[in-house]
Amino acid sequence: MESTLKITLPEDFIMLCEIFAFKPQVIIQLIIDQISFPRFYAHSHDKGKWATLILLDYLDNEHHWNKKERKLNEHYLEKFFDTLEAAIENTPVDMEMAAREIIKEWHKAIGKERAKYLLDNLPKDG
Amino acid sequence: MTVQRNDIINIPLEFKLACLVEGFSEQAVLQAFIDHISFYAVLGSGYIKGYREATSALKELNFTNSKGQASEAFANNREIASQCTIEILKIGIQTGNAKAKKNRSRKYIKKLFDTMERTYSTDKLYLAEESVLVFNEDFQVLCEFFNRYPKEYLEYFMSKIDLADHLARIGLNKLIVNGSMAFFAMLMGGFIKDNIRNLAKPATELQIEFIDELQQLHAKNFIVRNVEKRRVIYHNFFYNYYNKTNF
């Protein structure tokens, strides 16, 4: 999926881009390529863990949970953790696949939840 | 009846782990706890930082596991004991600064201390040959008042220290009332500046690596939404470090 983003490039970052002569999008792409719960939790010694750590830290400390979705998210986080625990004897690759299935399921469920919310709040036809 | 003497003090594993993780000296933590026991804080009103937390640990033990016996130490001096207690209670309900009221109650505590006949209290307790805990008057008076050996208070305090549980609860916003742990958390926050941390030696590679991994573990634990499961993860991580440092 491609997307056009509007972001602020901080001065320190721009200077590094210019010194080392790389495009900002190269680094941003590099960072977001690393962000993955299934990969992060299945391969504990992966060197590409830092980007996901930043995301986790953000979720843990700064992100405001949507109250209505909290229960659903807690449920899937728990399911995700249990899946990892159950797959601990498997190979990291199998573990990653099992973990990704949960994220897909979670993603679907949250989509359904939002659709339901929208439908329930449609103005009644007069 | 089990004999509760002072000669052997049991230091529980979780307390050892918490001190190790924070780089605290076990003796210094116990001494800080003792120094913040206040007879006034048992009876009087108002918040005095550190004193309320430490003293509430001691109250918890006395009021939840009460031996229900009258103090033997004042059997021959009941009049003086009740007079002093009443005076302290009177100061307690006055308006004004809690710290100042605590100071005003000092002379009555001194009187109780001078009057009591000792059964339970001592003024010192050796943890090891070179390591000694010193008990203030408040602490000793409270030992006699509630028929407790110093060891009992100290062991109760230590039994309530569980850093793994504390971190799990903070992360999930599920803190519970626990005076002992609240006091320990204040020490973690730098409540007492001197002699709590073992700062003599520079940090080892193992320590640096541990702190680094702990920070990552906080983030990694995001997916663990259950206090007990998080506690186990932290505990295992601390215990692993404990084993490594003991080689």
Side-chain angles (χ1 to χ4, degrees):
Chain A
M1 187 174 91
E2 277 202 24
S3 171
T4 312
L5 306 172
K6 193 167 184 291
I7 51 172
T8 315
L9 299 173
E11 192 190 0
D12 286 1
F13 180 66
I14 292 174
M15 286 195 292
L16 287 172
C17 290
E18 288 172 3
I19 292 169
F20 292 105
F22 55 74
K23 285 184 185 156
Q25 54 266 46
V26 174
I27 296 303
I28 293 163
Q29 187 68 56
L30 183 76
I31 292 168
I32 58 178
D33 280 349
Q34 287 188 356
I35 294 183
S36 156
F37 276 12
R39 233 182 304 135
F40 178 83
Y41 285 102
H43 309 265
S44 48
H45 299 290
D46 195 25
K47 72 178 170 69
K49 66 183 172 183
W50 304 107
T52 308
L53 275 172
I54 292 171
L55 176 74
L56 284 168
D57 187 58
Y58 164 77
L59 287 172
D60 206 14
N61 296 307
E62 286 167 66
H63 179 69
H64 294 289
W65 294 57
N66 181 322
K67 267 193 194 141
K68 287 196 183 68
E69 292 169 3
R70 182 170 198 116
K71 224 174 154 185
L72 187 76
N73 287 336
E74 295 269 9
H75 167 76
Y76 276 100
L77 280 168
E78 215 157 295
K79 199 165 178 185
F80 184 72
F81 177 71
D82 291 345
T83 304
L84 289 171
E85 275 211 317
I88 206 128
E89 303 286 330
N90 298 354
T91 64
V93 177
D94 288 343
M95 205 169 163
E96 184 183 330
M97 267 164 47
R100 185 162 293 112
E101 284 310 308
I102 304 298
I103 301 280
K104 280 183 182 162
E105 201 184 306
W106 183 2
H107 183 232
K108 235 184 234 164
I110 212 91
K112 247 190 205 164
E113 180 79 12
R114 284 179 195 157
K116 185 173 165 287
Y117 176 76
L118 284 175
L119 288 173
D120 288 352
N121 286 284
L122 277 181
K124 301 238 161 38
D125 288 333
Chain B
M1 192 181 124
T2 49
V3 183
Q4 296 271 5
R5 294 213 320 267
N6 280 320
D7 44 5
I8 307 156
I9 181 159
N10 299 312
I11 299 187
L13 176 66
E14 289 304 331
F15 181 73
K16 285 185 188 168
L17 294 182
C19 288
L20 174 74
V21 169
E22 287 302 313
F24 288 162
S25 136
E26 290 164 10
Q27 182 207 348
V29 171
L30 291 174
Q31 188 63 58
F33 169 69
I34 294 162
D35 293 345
H36 286 84
I37 295 300
S38 154
F39 192 90
Y40 173 79
V42 175
L43 300 174
S45 64
Y47 178 69
I48 315 172
K49 195 177 176 187
Y51 289 91
R52 170 173 301 167
E53 288 79 5
T55 307
S56 76
L58 197 139
K59 279 163 80 172
E60 261 170 51
L61 175 65
N62 286 325
F63 297 134
T64 53
N65 306 306
S66 171
K67 290 183 176 175
Q69 304 156 317
S71 169
E72 299 149 28
F74 299 98
N76 297 320
N77 293 296
R78 280 191 198 288
E79 195 65 13
I80 297 177
S82 57
Q83 260 174 20
C84 289
T85 314
I86 289 166
E87 289 305 322
I88 295 168
L89 280 168
K90 273 191 201 159
I91 295 172
I93 56 173
Q94 288 165 9
T95 52
N97 179 287
K99 224 173 180 170
K101 290 197 285 181
K102 176 173 167 289
N103 289 337
R104 275 209 300 276
S105 68
R106 171 110 329 267
K107 65 177 173 190
Y108 299 107
I109 294 159
K110 179 97 178 66
K111 198 163 184 185
L112 286 170
F113 181 76
D114 292 337
T115 313
M116 71 188 188
E117 290 165 56
R118 284 160 181 276
T119 310
Y120 297 90
S121 63
T122 46
D123 49 2
K124 271 183 210 156
L125 187 138
Y126 282 89
L127 291 175
E129 208 169 312
E130 297 269 300
S131 145
V132 61
L133 298 173
V134 182
F135 302 120
N136 60 20
E137 289 176 356
D138 290 59
F139 191 91
Q140 294 184 51
V141 170
L142 284 165
C143 285
E144 296 302 343
F145 235 84
F146 293 102
N147 303 327
R148 296 273 183 197
Y149 290 97
K151 171 190 155 88
E152 291 178 80
Y153 285 140
L154 297 176
E155 286 181 351
Y156 180 78
F157 167 69
M158 289 190 288
S159 76
K160 291 286 181 179
I161 305 297
D162 186 337
L163 187 59
D165 179 74
H166 181 70
L167 291 176
R169 290 185 180 282
I170 285 192
L172 292 167
N173 215 353
K174 285 183 180 156
L175 276 177
I176 47 170
V177 178
N178 178 348
S180 309
M181 197 60 222
F183 183 75
F184 193 88
M186 287 170 82
L187 297 180
M188 285 160 64
F191 175 57
I192 293 174
K193 295 281 174 284
D194 309 318
N195 299 327
I196 289 277
R197 285 208 155 85
N198 301 312
L199 288 173
K201 288 171 266 175
T204 62
E205 211 163 292
L206 187 66
Q207 282 169 323
I208 294 167
E209 193 188 318
F210 171 77
I211 292 166
D212 210 35
E213 278 179 26
L214 179 57
Q215 277 166 351
Q216 290 179 38
L217 190 58
H218 292 321
K220 216 171 158 181
N221 267 343
F222 174 74
I223 60 164
V224 189
R225 308 311 295 174
N226 170 290
V227 172
E228 178 55 17
K229 283 181 185 170
R230 261 199 206 197
R231 185 195 67 75
V232 170
I233 291 171
Y234 279 121
H235 169 83
N236 291 341
F237 180 63
F238 295 160
Y239 190 61
N240 192 19
Y241 176 57
Y242 173 78
N243 283 332
K244 277 187 199 165
T245 55
N246 280 316
F247 280 113

